[in-house]
Amino acid sequence: MKCMNCGAELTGSAYCEKCGYDVSVQKQALVLSGMYYNQGLEKAQVRDLSGAIDCLRRSLKFCKQNTDARNLLGLVYFETGEVVSALSEWVISKNMQPEDNIAADYIANLQKDANRLDLINQTIKKYNIALENCHNGNEDVAMIQLRKILAQNPKLIKGYHLLSLLYLQKGEYEKARKLLKKALCIDKTNTTTLRFLREVEEQTGRNDRTEGRFRLFGFRSAKAASPEGNTQEEAEAQESSGLIRRMYRTGGIKGTILTLILGMVIGCAALYFLFIPARMQQINQEANDRIARYASDIAVYSAQNQALMEQIRNQQDTVDTANDRIDAANAKATACENLLFAVRALENDMTRTAADWLADVDPDQLSVDARNIYSDLFDTLEDELLEVLVTEGIEAFRAKDFETAIFRLEAAHEIDDTGYDIMNYLAHAYRLNGDTASADEMFEEIIDVYPNSRKALNAERYLSSSDSYDPAADVDAEMEEVETQSQDNYAAAIDADEAD
């Protein structure tokens, strides 16, 4: 352990022996960081990943340089499908401890399998699209996308949560239960998983209850005694028998039928006016309560989804930053590697090969010392480098690779700003690539360098027609004319040498 004030190595004393600084709090913080790391390790071993994340974050609050806690936090993130967060923790750990750090192996293994890393990135993008479809009301499309995402990345807990939430909204509780059980196998104490499972249990448990169902219609389960000492059934039977006897005595069979019909009508009316309104009111009340509960749940789920989207945006920014750093490091490594090959080729007297490698070096990616080496090589191989750049630029022009031709010929023009072939091919490469403004500038430069000459006349002809240039014109004919001009220039140069 080093002193946080002067960086000296600490001993068992509560004060730094070099600067006298009180380091007791620093040592206490380191002890607490180690304690929380041990707790996080124990929780991770029993798949209490949420608890492990909480403990490891606390450990890093007390000591940000605890690379063991940071590496373990990255592993826990990776196990929950949060590959972006895991990669961020490992990159930070590697920067803090470049030597003897297992995070370097984790990053290398992850980058080694490019297909797997690309697949994980695709699943994160698809999850974002599914989340956006949920916000737009396309739940069915989101469910299809989430099922594919979980088939490709079965550890993405957020995918299980969002898909189970959609099943809950549709009332498919058993499907939601299966998904949540899978998520629970990954992280046994995830609060979102447990909360959704409780909702499923409440919904399915309420549907299974049947008590009080028969009480609605006023049926009784016990017998009541009548005032005469008989049971209620016996009293009702006696009353019914007496009624039938009275009906036979008063009106005969017609009176009996009329009385029965009248009784049925009265009974139906009593059933409708007494029981149906109460039942309808109860049903409406239950429906309103359920709608209010669902509205509250949807509001909570919407807030959670917004928080998840914000977290995903932050993680995407972290991935983009890491990718930019990796690309910058690769560009610097490529420039240094090409410069090294150029130096080795020059040591072996392979000047043309050295010039080829030097042409592929990007000086902006080199350090100060490497730029000095590049400048020395440039001065030594200037002629060979110019020849390489001109040759590769003209070959790219003939192959209709105008982007490469412009890149090479611009570099050659910086070395030799009066060469006619360089300026002529570069001007036509600009022109055939659609950059008429740059082509006009180069034609004007030819006119300035070679005034009152055939070269200037050719440049003026193209300069005057640049405004009406059609990119869909015959490119082969244009290139053939450029080749003819170059050959005429070469023949004129030979005649001038012979005349001299």
Side-chain angles (χ1 to χ4, degrees):
M1 181 189 303
K2 293 184 179 180
C3 176
M4 62 185 299
N5 186 38
C6 65
E9 291 291 338
L10 298 178
T11 60
S13 175
Y15 297 91
C16 177
E17 295 182 353
K18 182 177 181 181
C19 64
Y21 189 76
D22 187 1
V23 293
S24 58
V25 176
Q26 179 184 351
K27 290 184 176 181
Q28 243 179 352
L30 188 61
V31 171
L32 289 174
S33 177
M35 181 188 71
Y36 281 120
Y37 166 72
N38 292 331
Q39 291 180 1
L41 180 60
E42 292 176 357
K43 291 180 181 294
Q45 289 174 346
V46 295
R47 300 202 69 82
D48 181 5
L49 302 186
S50 297
I53 291 174
D54 182 63
C55 291
L56 293 172
R57 284 179 175 173
R58 292 185 182 182
S59 175
L60 293 176
K61 284 184 179 179
F62 285 104
C63 181
K64 296 183 180 297
Q65 288 77 22
N66 191 344
T67 55
D68 291 335
R70 199 172 292 278
N71 293 338
L72 181 58
L73 181 59
L75 288 175
V76 175
Y77 278 141
F78 185 82
E79 188 64 20
T80 58
E82 300 291 338
V83 181
V84 176
S85 299
L87 186 60
S88 301
E89 296 296 335
W90 292 335
V91 170
I92 295 173
S93 174
K94 184 180 178 182
N95 291 331
M96 289 182 175
Q97 182 183 340
E99 302 295 335
D100 297 331
N101 193 341
I102 196 172
D105 297 334
Y106 296 155
I107 297 174
N109 291 332
L110 190 60
Q111 293 177 346
K112 186 185 301 182
D113 193 352
N115 293 330
R116 183 184 179 189
L117 185 60
D118 182 66
L119 180 62
I120 293 173
N121 290 332
Q122 290 297 327
T123 55
I124 295 175
K125 293 179 181 179
K126 291 178 181 178
Y127 175 80
N128 294 334
I129 295 173
L131 196 59
E132 187 67 24
N133 287 328
C134 291
H135 286 294
N136 295 334
N138 301 324
E139 290 85 359
D140 295 334
V141 177
M143 291 172 69
I144 295 173
Q145 292 173 340
L146 288 170
R147 283 194 288 266
K148 292 181 180 179
I149 291 170
L150 293 177
Q152 296 173 349
N153 189 2
K155 292 184 179 181
L156 188 61
I157 291 184
K158 293 180 180 178
Y160 289 108
H161 290 167
L162 185 56
L163 184 55
S164 61
L165 183 61
L166 293 174
Y167 280 138
L168 285 173
Q169 186 178 359
K170 290 182 175 295
E172 299 179 1
Y173 301 111
E174 292 303 323
K175 292 183 179 179
R177 189 198 303 273
K178 292 180 181 179
L179 287 174
L180 294 171
K181 285 184 177 180
K182 291 181 180 179
L184 206 60
C185 292
I186 299 174
D187 185 1
K188 293 183 178 180
T189 60
N190 188 280
T191 55
T192 304
T193 305
L194 295 175
R195 185 168 61 252
F196 287 179
L197 269 176
R198 183 179 179 183
E199 178 68 18
V200 171
E201 292 173 356
E202 289 180 356
Q203 293 294 335
T204 54
R206 184 171 57 254
N207 291 335
D208 291 338
R209 286 197 294 267
T210 57
E211 59 183 7
R213 178 168 66 179
F214 297 103
R215 195 176 297 117
L216 176 65
F217 298 99
F219 292 122
R220 299 180 181 178
S221 58
K223 296 181 180 180
S226 63
E228 292 81 3
N230 298 328
T231 63
Q232 183 180 357
E233 286 78 0
E234 293 174 351
E236 290 177 354
Q238 293 174 2
E239 182 179 358
S240 177
S241 177
L243 177 62
I244 293 174
R245 286 195 297 270
R246 288 194 300 270
M247 288 171 57
Y248 273 109
R249 285 196 302 267
T250 56
I253 190 64
K254 293 181 180 181
T256 302
I257 295 174
L258 183 61
T259 304
L260 289 175
I261 294 174
L262 183 60
M264 293 175 62
V265 171
I266 294 174
C268 292
L271 179 64
Y272 180 79
F273 289 108
L274 294 178
F275 296 104
I276 297 300
R279 178 56 179 166
M280 291 299 296
Q281 184 178 2
Q282 183 180 2
I283 292 173
N284 292 333
Q285 184 64 35
E286 291 178 355
N288 292 332
D289 293 341
R290 183 171 296 181
I291 290 172
R293 186 169 59 254
Y294 286 163
S296 177
D297 293 342
I298 290 173
V300 173
Y301 298 151
S302 298
Q304 292 176 351
N305 287 338
Q306 291 178 358
L308 291 174
M309 288 187 65
E310 184 64 27
Q311 186 177 0
I312 289 170
R313 292 193 195 98
N314 296 334
Q315 291 173 351
Q316 187 62 42
D317 292 340
T318 304
V319 171
D320 294 338
T321 302
N323 290 333
D324 292 340
R325 291 180 179 176
I326 292 171
D327 293 338
N330 290 334
K332 291 181 180 180
T334 302
C336 294
E337 186 179 18
N338 292 336
L339 182 62
L340 178 61
F341 289 152
V343 171
R344 290 180 178 176
L346 185 61
E347 290 176 351
N348 295 326
D349 297 330
M350 301 168 63
T351 56
R352 180 53 185 256
T353 304
D356 288 337
W357 285 111
L358 192 63
D360 293 331
V361 175
D362 186 0
D364 296 334
Q365 303 296 333
L366 299 176
S367 61
V368 177
D369 295 335
R371 285 184 183 178
N372 294 332
I373 298 173
Y374 175 81
S375 298
D376 295 339
L377 286 178
F378 184 85
D379 295 337
T380 304
L381 302 172
E382 183 174 357
D383 296 336
E384 288 80 1
L385 180 61
L386 177 61
E387 182 180 354
V388 169
L389 293 173
V390 173
T391 302
E392 293 182 355
I394 294 175
E395 289 178 353
F397 180 86
R398 291 170 179 169
K400 300 180 182 180
D401 185 4
F402 300 119
E403 296 288 343
T404 304
I406 291 172
F407 177 74
R408 293 301 189 191
L409 293 173
E410 283 180 344
H413 186 58
E414 292 180 359
I415 300 174
D416 183 7
D417 58 354
T418 61
Y420 174 71
D421 283 343
I422 297 174
M423 291 189 292
N424 189 39
Y425 276 105
L426 181 57
H428 285 284
Y430 282 136
R431 188 167 182 263
L432 295 175
N433 200 41
D435 188 0
T436 56
S438 299
D440 289 345
E441 292 179 2
M442 190 56 59
F443 284 132
E444 290 176 354
E445 188 174 346
I446 293 174
I447 295 171
D448 294 337
V449 176
Y450 300 97
N452 301 324
S453 64
R454 184 177 179 183
K455 302 171 184 176
L457 291 175
N458 288 332
E460 289 177 355
R461 180 166 58 87
Y462 283 105
L463 182 62
S464 62
S465 63
S466 62
D467 294 336
S468 60
Y469 172 68
D470 182 11
D474 189 354
V475 177
D476 294 331
E478 296 277 352
M479 294 176 62
E480 184 177 355
E481 187 170 354
V482 175
E483 291 290 335
T484 303
Q485 292 176 10
S486 178
Q487 293 173 2
D488 292 344
N489 176 55
Y490 179 71
I494 293 176
D495 293 340
D497 292 339
E498 291 178 353
D500 292 338

